[in-house]
């Protein structure tokens, strides 16, 4: 009985992780391919993510040039 519970719980966890992985991948594809600029900043206002479109809009050659800089107020 204990083994069955553990197997079921492990199986559910595997399916949940796989579902989350698919969801994250879908959101990543959406954000990276949209025509709008997207940025994420940390609690200190520092950019931690920008998509290519935002780089084009702000004149950065790549996300690496923007990440680590202060976000615009």
């Amino acid at each position: 009985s204990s083994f069955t519970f553990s197997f079921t719980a492990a199986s559910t966890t595997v399916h949940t992780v796989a579902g989350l992985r698919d969801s994250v991948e879908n959101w990543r594809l959406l954000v990276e391919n949209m025509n709008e600029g997207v940025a994420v900043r940390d609690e200190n206002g520092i950019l931690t993510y920008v998509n290519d479109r935002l780089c084009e809009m702000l004149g950065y050659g790549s996300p690496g040039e923007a990440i680590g800089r202060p976000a615009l107020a």
Side-chain angles (χ1 to χ4, degrees):
S1 176
S2 175
F3 176 76
T4 302
F5 173 76
S6 295
F7 177 76
T8 302
S11 177
T12 300
T13 300
V14 168
H15 289 290
T16 300
V17 169
L20 287 172
R21 188 175 301 122
D22 290 344
S23 179
V24 168
E25 178 65 12
N26 288 337
W27 279 105
R28 185 189 65 78
L29 289 171
L30 174 69
V31 169
E32 288 181 359
N33 293 295
M34 63 192 330
N35 289 322
E36 289 78 22
V38 176
V40 176
R41 63 183 180 95
D42 67 13
E43 64 277 358
N44 297 313
I46 303 300
L47 294 172
T48 59
Y49 173 84
V50 295
N51 67 354
D52 288 336
R53 178 64 182 127
L54 187 68
C55 289
E56 291 173 18
M57 294 167 67
L58 299 178
Y60 292 110
S62 70
E65 293 178 21
I67 293 171
R69 294 179 179 266
L72 300 175

